Structure formats: C-alpha cells, structure tokens
C-alpha cells in the first residue's frame, strides 16, 4: 500500500518535518546533478586545460537561452502549487497541460538558436584559437539535444509545484549514472585498467572499450542524458497516479487566459535570468582577456563551489512550493512560518558548507583539474566565495518564497541591480580598468550576493507579496 502523501498545508505538522521532507529529494537530486557536472569537468580536465575551457566558454550564452525556459517554470510552479493548495485539481491539470504547450511554443525555437549559431557563439565569447574548434563541436552536439534539457526544467517545475520532489530524483538517479558511464566510454579510447593486489599476488589487466571522442564524447553523453531525462518526465505526467495526472485524451487546445497568466509572472523571472546570463557574458568575456589559465580556473572554482549550491537550491525550491500551496489554502501565516524555518535551516547548513569549501579548497580543485597554475588560482577564488555561502542562501530562499507567491517583479529588480551594478561593473573595472585578476572579480561577484540578500529581505518584510497572484487575476478579469 502506498504511503499517503504529506499535506503541506496542515498547520499542525512540524515545519521542520515538512521542509526536510520536501527538501531532501531536491538536495539529493542536486547532489547527483552537481556530481555529474563535477565528473564531466574532471573527465574533460584529463584532456587538458584547453578542453576544460572549450566546454565552458559558451556557458553564459547557453544560460541566457535556458533562462527564458526556466522562467516559464517559475510561472508554472506558482500556479500549480497555488491550485494544489486550494485543492483545485482541474485548474492544476490545465496548467500542467499548458507546460507542455509552452515547451513546444517557446522552448523549441530557443533550442534552435545555439544550434544555428554554434560557430559564432564561442567567437563572441572570446574563445582562443587553441580551443575554438573543440568549443564549436561541443556547442553543436549539445544543442541538438537542448529541447530535452528544457523539458527537464519545465516539467521538473510541474512536479515540484504539486509537492512531488521524489519523481524527478528517481529519474535523475538513472539518467546521471548513465551520463557518467557514457562519459567514460565516449571520452577516452580503448585502454586497460590494471588492478594490483600485491598482498594476494593478484594482478588483473582489464581491457576497456572506448570511442576516444574527447570533448565530442562528453557532449554526446550529456545530450543523451538530457533526452532520457526530459522524455521520462513527460511520460510520467501521463502515467504517475496523482490527483493532477493528465491524460492523452484531455484537450490540449491552448487557453490564452492561462498562457497570459503564466507569462505575466514569468516575464520578470525571464528578464531576471536574461539579466544574470547577459551580465555573466560580460564577466566571462572580461575573464577571457586574462588568458586560458584564468578561463579554466574560473570554470574549476565555479564547479567546486556548485557543491554548496545543492542545499541552497533545495531550500529555495522548497520555499517556493510551500509558500505557493500555503497561500492557495489561504494560510499566509503558515507561509511566513515556513519561510522563517527554511531560512534558519539554510543558514546552519550553508555555514557548514562554506567551512568545507574553505578547508578543502585545494583537494576540491585538484580533482577537477591538475594543472598547477589553474589549481593555485582556482583555490584562491574558492576560498573567497566560501565566506558568502550563508549570505547567499538567504537571498535564494527569500527569492524562492517571493516567486512562490507570484511576486517575480521584485526579485528581477533586485537581481538586475546587483548583477549589473555590483557583479558585472565591478568585475569589468577590476580586470579591464585596474588590471587586476580573477580573485578581485570574484570578490565583486560575492558582494553581489550580499546586496541581493539585503534587498530581498526588505521586500519580503513588506508583506505585499501575499496578494500578488490575486491582484493579477483581478486585473485580468477587469
């Protein structure tokens, strides 16, 4: 007999229990995704620093494309969570069906952009001649599969909005294991693994097959994993038993009112993503002027830091779902209580995460790339960002809470100001005007997180986010 689903809007339950119940699958999912990204970068890193630079140089542009789709997920999550909280499953199903329609209408055209511009984008991002061809190959291959990673973004938001964080986790376990195996088989050529147990006088030589595709193999493995993940999530919407389960016999005729509603709160989130990615492009282009070592070190330290993003993302996403469902059940005090406890838990966890980043900075970066110059520079940067982890999670959780309420405008305003006036401007001035290096640019990026945390709190404190979705519907009716 299946275990009954936890009612997130029950005020008699321990908030700690509810938050952790919702967050732990998100946390494990992030562990898997981050470790696979970690493994990807490490496997590519064995090919040299030019290969590491090749797979990362176009990331900021790709994040710009993906950000528009992720923003639609914000709108879908908010309305699905609100509908589930109100026990209006008919409305929830309508929003879920429209998530598939929006994926086709918006995701497909956006997925074609990097596929068409795969030669130009690395050039625009400042790729050096020593890794330009590899960067173009990597971008083209991954772009062929990009629609499926967009499906993972939007459909994952659907599951999280209805309070189901375990289904995306189960799918990611399988997908990420296959991705790592695919990397191993496709990146390296045929080789032999030697296992020596001298105490037992056992010496094994195990022949391993490999395609020897290098950077292209990493791209192909990543793309196939996206295909499996996005396709499986789509199938689960139709097959997993749930009050919001949809059917192929349902009407998929677009409802302009629903699309308008979702897009209305998604546009600020979309602009926020575009702002983050475009400022990231400016920062990346500035870092590229420092040379291949700086580009590789930036990738290495950012990959290592992403280990600490796992709990932060989990708590921020949990806050989005909990606030959305609580407001849907017309329990704003419960929403506030969830936010308080989520921030408290997040602060404790991220303080420990920052401490680990600082103490283990050297082995973390060495695992990813063994080049001595890259390791030295990346280690310095990682120790800088270790101090901002507790502050960063406050900004993330409060932004997640505001988005769960449908208040996406203020996170956009705050993120835009922080990204451009602190992160991008600061990094450009440090590198291009004052001739400083990567560590100084990283300090500016860390300062951006502190600024965002302060202003997210000030917005949350007003309480005006509570009635945002109601105001949107009232304006639409008028």
């Amino acid at each position: 007999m299946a275990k009954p689903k936890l009612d997130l809007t029950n005020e008699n339950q321990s908030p700690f229990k509810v938050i952790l119940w919702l967050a732990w699958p998100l946390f494990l999912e992030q562990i898997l995704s981050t470790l696979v990204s970690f493994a990807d970068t490490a496997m590519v890193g064995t090919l040299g620093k030019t290969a590491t630079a090749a797979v990362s140089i176009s990331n900021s542009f790709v994040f710009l494309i993906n950000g528009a789709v992720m923003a639609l997920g914000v709108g879908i999550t908010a309305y699905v969570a609100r509908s589930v909280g109100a026990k209006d499953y008919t409305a929830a199903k309508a929003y879920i069906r429209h998530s598939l329609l929006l994926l086709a209408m918006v995701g497909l055209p956006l997925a074609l952009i990097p596929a068409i511009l795969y030669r130009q984008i690395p050039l625009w991002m400042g790729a050096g001649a020593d890794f330009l061809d590899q960067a173009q190959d990597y971008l083209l291959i991954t772009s062929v599969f990009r629609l499926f990673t967009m499906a993972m973004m939007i459909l994952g938001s659907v599951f999280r909005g209805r309070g189901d964080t375990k289904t995306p986790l189960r799918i990611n376990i399988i997908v990420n294991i296959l991705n790592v195996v695919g990397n191993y088989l496709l990146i390296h050529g045929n080789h032999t693994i030697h296992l020596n147990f001298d105490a037992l006088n056992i010496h094994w030589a195990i022949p391993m097959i490999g395609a020897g595709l290098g950077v292209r193999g990493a791209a192909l493995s990543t793309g196939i994993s996206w295909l499996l993940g996005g396709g499986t999530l789509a199938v689960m919407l139709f097959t997993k038993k749930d009050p919001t389960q949809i059917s192929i016999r349902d009407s998929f005729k677009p409802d302009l009112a629903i699309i308008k509603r979702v897009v209305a709160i998604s546009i600020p989130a979309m602009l926020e993503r575009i702002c983050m990615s475009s400022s990231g492009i400016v920062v990346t282009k500035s870092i590229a002027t420092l040379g291949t070592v700086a580009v590789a070190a930036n990738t290495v330290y950012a990959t290592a830091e992403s280990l600490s993003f796992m709990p932060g993302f989990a708590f921020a996403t949990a806050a989005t779902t909990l606030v959305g469902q609580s407001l849907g059940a017309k329990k704003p005090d419960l929403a506030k209580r969830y936010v308080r406890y989520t921030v408290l838990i997040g602060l404790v966890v991220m303080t420990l995460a920052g401490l680990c980043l600082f103490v283990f900075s050297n082995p973390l970066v060495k695992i990813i790339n063994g080049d001595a110059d890259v390791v030295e520079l990346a280690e310095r940067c990682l120790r800088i960002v270790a101090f901002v982890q507790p502050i960063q999670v406050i900004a993330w959780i409060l932004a997640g809470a505001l988005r769960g309420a449908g208040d996406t405008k203020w996170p956009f305003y705050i993120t835009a100001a922080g990204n451009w006036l602190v992160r991008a401007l600061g990094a450009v001035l440090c590198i291009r005007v004052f001739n400083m290096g990567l560590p100084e640019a990283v300090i500016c990026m860390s300062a951006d997180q502190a600024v965002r945390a302060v202003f997210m709190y000030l917005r949350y404190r007003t309480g005006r986010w509570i009635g945002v979705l109601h105001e949107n519907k009232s304006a639409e009716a008028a």
Side-chain angles (χ1 to χ4, degrees):
M1 184 176 179
K3 187 176 180 180
K5 187 177 177 181
L6 194 66
D7 183 359
L8 305 184
T9 61
N10 185 347
E11 296 176 277
N12 296 321
Q13 296 173 137
S14 165
F16 280 110
K17 176 184 176 181
V18 175
I19 292 166
L20 295 176
W21 180 88
L22 193 62
W24 77 260
L26 292 164
F27 178 52
L28 290 182
E29 183 182 345
Q30 283 301 297
I31 287 178
L32 289 171
S33 298
T34 303
L35 288 179
V36 167
S37 175
F38 203 86
D40 280 349
T41 308
M43 288 180 178
V44 172
T46 62
L47 302 175
K49 59 189 176 186
T50 56
T52 299
V55 302
S56 64
I57 191 68
S58 299
N59 281 352
S60 294
F61 190 94
V62 170
F63 292 160
L64 179 63
I65 299 295
N66 289 349
V69 178
M70 293 178 70
L72 290 175
V74 171
I76 291 293
T77 298
Y79 277 108
V80 169
R82 182 68 65 102
S83 300
V84 171
K87 303 294 189 293
D88 187 352
Y89 299 123
T90 299
K93 290 180 182 180
Y95 287 115
I96 292 172
R97 290 194 296 271
H98 278 75
S99 70
L100 294 171
L101 294 174
L102 287 168
L103 176 63
M105 295 163 57
V106 179
L108 182 57
L110 288 176
L112 293 175
I113 293 176
I116 294 171
L117 300 176
Y118 77 95
R119 289 190 179 278
Q120 288 77 21
I121 292 171
L123 285 171
W124 295 339
M125 299 306 301
D130 52 344
F131 62 90
L132 176 61
D133 289 342
Q134 292 182 86
Q136 291 172 333
D137 289 344
Y138 186 85
L139 182 59
L140 174 61
I141 294 171
T142 54
S143 295
V144 172
F145 298 92
R146 191 154 305 281
L147 180 64
F148 296 98
T149 190
M150 292 177 173
M152 294 178 70
M153 296 173 197
I154 288 187
L155 303 186
S157 297
V158 169
F159 282 97
R160 296 177 189 113
R162 66 188 192 184
D164 179 3
T165 55
K166 292 182 180 179
T167 295
L169 169 64
R170 295 187 183 107
I171 292 172
N172 268 282
I173 289 174
I174 298 172
V175 167
N176 288 327
I177 289 174
L178 293 175
N179 187 21
V180 171
V181 173
N183 276 335
Y184 187 81
L185 296 177
L186 296 177
I187 292 177
H188 303 288
N190 295 331
H191 59 284
T192 301
I193 298 178
H194 295 277
L195 298 178
N196 298 313
F197 303 94
D198 294 332
L200 301 175
N201 196 28
I202 295 176
H203 304 280
W204 291 339
I206 305 173
M208 299 293 296
I209 62 172
L213 297 177
V215 168
R216 294 174 183 169
L220 188 59
S221 179
T222 297
I224 293 173
S225 73
W226 291 345
L227 171 63
L228 293 172
T232 305
L233 278 174
V235 171
M236 294 294 285
L237 290 177
F238 295 91
T239 59
K240 183 174 175 59
K241 296 297 181 183
D242 187 89
T244 62
Q245 178 184 353
I246 60 176
S247 169
I248 58 174
R249 291 185 289 272
D250 293 341
S251 172
F252 281 82
K253 181 180 179 181
D255 185 326
L256 293 181
I258 290 178
I259 293 175
K260 180 180 178 181
R261 204 174 295 147
V262 171
V263 169
I265 67 170
S266 296
I267 286 178
M270 188 179 299
L271 293 174
E272 179 184 349
R273 292 286 178 180
I274 291 173
C275 174
M276 292 172 65
S277 298
S278 57
S279 66
I281 290 173
V282 172
V283 172
T284 300
K285 286 177 68 68
S286 295
I287 292 172
T289 64
L290 298 174
T292 301
V293 170
V295 173
N298 183 56
T299 300
V300 169
Y301 103 78
T303 302
E305 185 195 9
S306 66
L307 290 171
S308 70
F309 292 172
M310 299 180 292
F313 173 86
F315 292 130
T317 306
T320 298
T321 300
L322 291 168
V323 168
Q325 291 204 17
S326 298
L327 294 182
K330 302 187 186 305
K331 297 179 179 180
D333 289 339
L334 179 61
K336 292 179 182 178
R337 183 167 58 158
Y338 278 137
V339 174
R340 286 197 302 272
Y341 279 96
T342 306
V343 168
L344 177 61
I345 298 171
L347 277 173
V348 172
V349 172
M350 294 304 287
T351 297
L352 294 174
L355 181 62
C356 290
L357 288 182
F358 187 88
V359 173
F360 301 108
S361 57
N362 184 267
L364 282 173
V365 299
K366 276 186 176 179
I367 291 173
I368 303 172
N369 192 296
D371 185 273
D373 293 334
V374 173
V375 168
E376 180 183 1
L377 186 56
E379 183 181 358
R380 290 175 60 194
C381 295
L382 190 58
R383 288 191 167 185
I384 292 170
V385 298
F387 288 97
V388 81
Q389 300 308 305
I391 300 172
Q392 182 171 261
V393 79
I394 295 175
W396 287 7
I397 291 172
L398 293 180
L402 295 176
R403 294 185 188 107
D407 184 4
T408 53
K409 290 182 180 179
W410 277 97
F412 161 58
Y413 299 150
I414 294 167
T415 300
N419 266 256
W420 282 103
L421 298 181
V422 182
R423 176 182 294 256
L425 180 60
V428 170
L429 288 175
C430 286
I431 294 173
R432 294 181 181 269
V433 178
F434 300 113
N435 297 317
M436 295 179 177
L438 181 61
E440 289 75 19
V442 171
I443 291 175
C444 295
M445 299 178 203
S446 299
D448 165 42
Q449 295 293 343
V451 169
R452 278 195 262 173
V454 170
F455 284 95
M456 290 292 182
Y457 171 73
L458 292 176
R459 172 58 183 176
Y460 173 80
R461 188 179 175 184
T462 66
R464 295 174 184 171
W465 46 272
I466 293 174
V468 169
L469 283 189
H470 177 73
E471 293 171 2
N472 289 346
K473 285 190 175 183
S474 298
E476 182 182 314

